[in-house]
Amino acid sequence: MIYCDANATEPVRPESLAAVMDAMRTTGNPSSSHKAGRVARALLDQARRTVSKHMGGSVENCVFTSGGTEANVLAVRGIGQGRRILIGATEHDAVRRAPEEGARTGIIPVSENGIIDCEALETQLVSSSQATLVCVMLANNETGVINPIREISRLCRKAGAKLHVDAVQAAGRVPVDILALGADSIAVSGHKFGGPKGAGALLLADQAPVPLSPMLAGGGQERGRRGGTPALPAIMGMAAALDAALASPRDLSPLRDAIEMAALQSGAILSGTSAPRLANTTCLILPWMKGEAQLIALDLDGFCVSAGAACSSGKAASSHVLEAMGFGELSGHAIRVSLPWNVEADVAERFSAAYERMAARRRPI
Ligand code: PLP
């Protein structure tokens, strides 16, 4: 099996596994005052220092969550309370479905390369006097396209709007720094950079602290912003994975580019290639084959890729991301190949051969 679905989840890094095992042996609850509790609290504090150091935020404003979905929902519902919420057309469902019932929302269009249309955003920002929260992802999960967050932040500041950035696919792959990005909050998820599933974080900017109403009040953990005993092993694993990902960056773009060159020759259409992109991600459209059929054919040939909406590989939905980019009918004909941190160097050769076989077998005469 050759795993090419890193944007669904990255393989666990050995450093992360070791940290998880260590934390599993720690008995205490970080909220307990006795020695065992203090030991667990020290580990939790250490993980918080690591995550906030890498993301440019303060330790006080790093809220641990169960993952990217929860971090996004916490931000959108918390910062978005009473505000109009403008959401990028290519956002993940974790953000698209986050606003509370009855919230006033709007969609920010993207251009054909998948990047937020900044002119349209500017028009939307001045079209209402209501306070606004803008939600734009740093890197897209299906195409890898990277948005100009600093420019978007500038527009938001000018209009007095808040900016939430879903950095789930970007963290560990490209620099993510809440201050440098000019965001009010960013969401990250441990399993997207080689940590275990079940841990994420919401980082909040210091200069404009926003009182977050917790979705789960519970015992008031995380400074009252997220109740419930923190998942120490998953959080420790996330921090170790982030350290490891940033300590040993690997440029996967030559492998991605080789896959794209071969796919083009097999008749594929590429998406988002004129925009800055994550080096590990490509979205290939084969006009004569549904994405789901491609996924199955490649699976039978030993390759794990995804089709359509990324996190829900079980569904055969047409991609709302490609639709927003203007691909129309073809939006249901795409697969996403996302290379993991530990992919073998011969992946391009092997994948390209399988892709060519598949494309040729089904090509209409
Ligand atoms: N945001 C993006 C861009 C994602 O790709 C995903 C998952 O694929 C999420 C949020 C949700 O993250 P999690 O799986 O940690 O809930």
Side-chain angles (χ1 to χ4, degrees):
M1 180 186 90
I2 299 182
Y3 187 75
C4 298
D5 201 13
N7 292 10
T9 195
E10 283 275 7
V12 172
R13 293 175 185 268
E15 297 88 342
S16 173
L17 191 57
V20 171
M21 296 312 284
D22 276 354
M24 289 293 287
R25 291 188 197 98
T26 306
T27 301
N29 180 326
S31 301
S32 300
S33 317
H34 49 61
K35 185 166 182 192
R38 292 197 303 276
V39 170
R41 163 65 60 178
L43 291 176
L44 188 65
D45 288 348
Q46 186 191 319
R48 205 184 302 277
R49 278 195 298 276
T50 302
V51 173
S52 41
K53 176 186 78 185
H54 289 312
M55 299 295 158
S58 70
V59 174
E60 297 73 32
N61 281 326
C62 169
V63 183
F64 286 133
T65 65
S66 63
T69 301
E70 189 190 333
N72 278 312
V73 175
L74 190 58
V76 174
R77 294 200 180 163
I79 304 173
Q81 217 161 44
R83 291 174 190 268
R84 174 178 65 141
I85 304 173
L86 297 179
I87 297 177
T90 59
E91 292 297 299
H92 189 272
D93 275 354
V95 171
R96 296 203 310 158
R97 302 178 69 183
E100 305 252 30
E101 277 283 305
R104 186 175 163 211
T105 58
I107 299 293
I108 316 160
V110 296
S111 50
E112 60 191 23
N113 61 4
I115 288 186
I116 284 289
D117 180 340
C118 287
E119 262 177 47
L121 170 61
E122 202 167 6
T123 308
Q124 285 172 311
L125 282 170
V126 295
S127 72
S128 164
S129 57
Q130 191 183 352
T132 302
L133 168 67
V134 169
C135 302
V136 173
M137 67 206 320
L138 181 47
N140 184 268
N141 46 300
E142 293 186 33
T143 58
V145 165
I146 294 175
N147 273 311
I149 299 295
R150 288 171 66 115
E151 166 67 358
I152 292 166
S153 163
R154 198 184 57 76
L155 297 176
C156 291
R157 296 275 165 265
K158 206 167 98 187
K162 298 271 178 216
L163 173 63
H164 169 66
V165 174
D166 177 351
V168 163
Q169 291 293 344
R173 295 178 176 154
V174 294
V176 177
D177 181 309
I178 188 165
L179 296 177
L181 290 172
D184 290 288
S185 56
I186 56 176
V188 299
S189 174
H191 73 105
K192 304 291 188 181
F193 44 79
K197 295 154 191 70
L202 177 66
L203 292 107
L204 301 164
D206 282 335
Q207 69 274 22
V210 191
L212 278 189
S213 33
M215 290 189 295
L216 311 165
Q221 288 90 343
E222 300 294 305
R223 295 176 177 250
R225 295 172 293 196
R226 199 275 186 181
T229 302
L232 190 59
I235 291 168
M236 292 285 294
M238 167 167 69
L242 191 54
D243 261 342
L246 297 174
S248 53
R250 182 175 171 202
D251 181 13
L252 295 168
S253 58
L255 298 177
R256 191 264 324 261
D257 293 349
I259 287 174
E260 290 186 341
M261 286 307 292
L264 274 175
Q265 278 166 15
S266 297
I269 298 168
L270 308 181
S271 60
T273 48
S274 62
R277 286 185 298 156
L278 293 177
N280 78 319
T281 308
T282 182
C283 181
L284 309 172
I285 299 168
L286 199 55
W288 57 91
M289 230 177 138
K290 288 269 192 199
E292 193 68 10
Q294 296 178 56
L295 182 151
I296 294 167
L298 289 165
D299 191 23
L300 290 172
D301 223 350
F303 292 87
C304 300
V305 300
S306 77
C311 275
S312 48
S313 301
K315 290 193 248 159
S318 175
S319 159
H320 74 276
V321 174
L322 296 179
E323 279 169 13
M325 291 166 73
F327 280 99
E329 277 277 291
L330 291 176
S331 304
H333 291 245
I335 57 162
R336 176 190 65 189
V337 182
S338 51
L339 304 175
W341 61 270
N342 61 353
V343 75
E344 302 281 345
D346 63 356
V347 67
E349 216 173 293
R350 296 176 69 177
F351 177 84
S352 301
Y355 192 84
E356 193 190 335
R357 277 195 296 280
M358 172 186 78
R361 211 168 37 238
R362 302 289 191 93
R363 194 177 198 129
I365 300 155

